[in-house]
Structures are given as C-alpha cells and as structure tokens.
Amino acid sequence: MTTRFPTYFVSHGGGPWPWMKDQFGHAYDKLEASLVDIKRQVGARPKAVLVVTSHWEAAGYLASSGDAPGMIYDYGGFPPHTYQIRYPAPGQPQLAERAAALLAASGLTSGVDPQRGFDHGTFSMLYPIYPEADMPVVQVSIRHGYDPLEHIQAGRALAPLRDEGVLIIGSGLSFHNLRQFGPSGQAASHAFDGWLRHAMLDLPPQERSAALLHWNEAPGARAAHPREDHLMPLMVALGAAEQEPAALVYHEDDFFGSLAVSSFRFGAATA
C-alpha cells in the first residue's frame, strides 16, 4: 500500500537557531518541538524530502540536482561557528528532474541547478526533524514576482510526488518583517496570523485557496509581509494538498516576546 504523505508549511525561525541555543535560550523550544513531531506525524520514512524554500528565488522554478549539496550561509552577524555548520544530507538528482518535469508539464518555467547548496531555510528547519542528515533532500525555488496563483499551481503540479514517497515541506515564516521583529510588530503579526489561521483551518478548500490569492487584503498583511517571499512556500504546500483539511501544527502568540507565528499541515498525518 502506497503512503500518501501530507504536506507542510513551517515557520522556520531565524538564521541558524538550532546551533545557537546558548544565545537564544528557550525562544525556539516550541518551534523545535513542533518540527521534531513532524517525523512522528509522518510515520513511514519518506524516500526523500522536497523543500520549497523562501531563501531561493529564480526566474523559474528550479530544483537542486546535485548529489551532495554544499552549504549556503545566507545570514549575517552570527557567531563564527554558525559559518562552519554542516548538514550533509545527500541530494537526489532523479527527484530534481522529476519535479522539474512535473512543473514543466503544467506549463510552468522550470529547470534544475546542480550547484545549489542548502540554505538556512532548509538546513535549520530540517535539522530537528532529521538530525542524522541521512534523508535525501531536494530544494525547489520560489519564483520572482510572487504570484500566489502560480505558486499554488506549482503545488498542484508537484502533488503526484506525495504518492511517490516524497515529503513536501514549504519553508518560510508566517510573519516576516525584520524591521519589526519585536514589540513593534506585535499588532500586525497577531492580526495577520489570526486571519491566516481562520483561512487555513475554517474555510472549505475552494474558499481557502481564494483567500490566499487575496492575502494582501488581510488585516496586517503588508506590515507582516512587506516582501512576501516567506509566504510563497505556503502557497505551494497548500496547492499540493489543495482539497485536503489543514491542521495547526505550531503556534505561538509570544514568539520573541510579542509575535504570533504559525505552521500548518495539509492532509492527514500518516501515523
């Protein structure tokens, strides 16, 4: 019997946080616990993980196709040891080619990139789930322009991978305004997160997708996402399980003391 894996949108936190617990204290305890629990929810071991990462933008949808992806330290001002982190998960070129082919068959511009390494939207989020780094991982970019419908369509195109042993995770952040990452962002983050949880959890599938197409009309939307790169992986994760129910798998009202952030699963847990 084939396992159909759910899809996830995870709020991945900031920078290399799993390697900075001395500095961050307990700030990431709830997020870490939610990521660890994804492995339990999934149950059966996937053949690979496909990560749609907010930290890779391209003119088309690209899939990382290297056998042994390197590391991209796409952050600044962190301790020296965080620039020596290794997450040595293997790539899977065949999955990258398959993903690109599915996207192309749906009329979306796509390709592969054999040089692309793991960015922190991938390795920081995956480390709590698969700390052994033995799970094959392929990254997929988001596309310039941030068209919500096109990213939902990308998810629809990638949906067959769920029946092929692939776990699809969209990695972004439900609030991403670094200039207001603290008390000044409290009102906007709570307003937008409340709207987002209602849209994902309470609306029927067709209305849920329609709501995301008009996300920028939501309360606090542009203050929460002045640049919506960290919201696009949500569109892909939803599109890949568009007719299935959503579940809240992580939520905090006081992230870094004031912010509301959330993560979602689409489709039923398999364990």
Side-chain angles (χ1 to χ4, degrees):
M1 182 177 177
T2 301
T3 297
R4 170 175 288 180
F5 288 112
T7 70
Y8 289 86
F9 168 72
V10 302
S11 289
H12 62 226
W17 63 266
W19 292 270
M20 295 182 61
K21 291 184 178 180
D22 288 345
Q23 290 87 351
F24 286 130
H26 296 288
Y28 283 100
D29 284 0
K30 290 182 182 178
L31 176 58
E32 182 176 29
S34 74
L35 292 170
V36 170
D37 197 52
I38 287 177
K39 185 176 181 179
R40 181 198 62 79
Q41 294 172 30
V42 170
R45 179 179 169 87
K47 293 179 181 178
V49 180
L50 185 139
V51 178
V52 181
T53 171
S54 57
H55 287 272
W56 185 16
E57 297 181 27
Y61 297 95
L62 297 178
S64 59
S65 60
D67 284 307
M71 302 292 289
I72 298 175
Y73 305 113
D74 53 341
Y75 41 73
F78 288 92
H81 77 272
T82 63
Y83 299 90
Q84 304 299 320
I85 292 168
R86 293 289 181 268
Y87 188 75
Q92 193 173 93
Q94 300 92 334
L95 174 57
E97 294 285 354
R98 171 74 170 141
L102 287 169
L103 291 161
S106 294
L108 300 171
T109 303
S110 65
V112 297
D113 183 344
Q115 304 302 319
R116 180 72 186 186
F118 295 141
D119 58 61
H120 85 263
T122 296
F123 66 78
S124 290
M125 172 273 299
L126 280 181
Y127 180 73
I129 308 174
Y130 297 112
E132 300 86 0
D134 59 353
M135 181 69 67
V137 177
V138 168
Q139 293 180 137
V140 171
S141 68
I142 59 172
R143 188 172 182 185
H144 295 326
Y146 310 138
D147 183 331
L149 177 57
E150 189 179 85
H151 284 81
I152 291 175
Q153 290 170 336
R156 294 169 183 162
L158 294 169
L161 297 176
R162 297 175 58 206
D163 293 319
E164 299 172 15
V166 177
L167 176 63
I168 298 173
I169 301 178
S171 178
L173 204 57
S174 62
F175 175 86
H176 195 251
N177 184 339
L178 298 183
R179 293 186 177 182
Q180 295 186 8
F181 212 78
S184 62
Q186 181 174 19
S189 76
H190 282 252
F192 183 73
D193 197 81
W195 173 87
L196 186 64
R197 283 183 283 125
H198 167 68
M200 295 301 98
L201 303 174
D202 300 332
L203 298 182
Q206 186 174 356
E207 293 180 27
R208 185 176 65 185
S209 296
L212 278 187
L213 297 182
H214 302 284
W215 71 270
N216 60 339
E217 299 172 10
R222 276 301 174 188
H225 292 279
R227 186 169 177 263
E228 58 265 40
D229 51 334
H230 277 62
L231 199 58
M232 290 302 106
L234 170 62
M235 314 293 179
V236 183
L238 177 140
E242 195 169 11
Q243 301 304 314
E244 297 176 50
L248 185 69
V249 295
Y250 163 67
H251 175 71
E252 290 193 60
D253 281 324
D254 57 353
F255 186 60
F256 277 86
S258 53
L259 302 175
V261 289
S262 295
S263 301
F264 302 93
R265 184 186 73 234
F266 299 99
T270 53

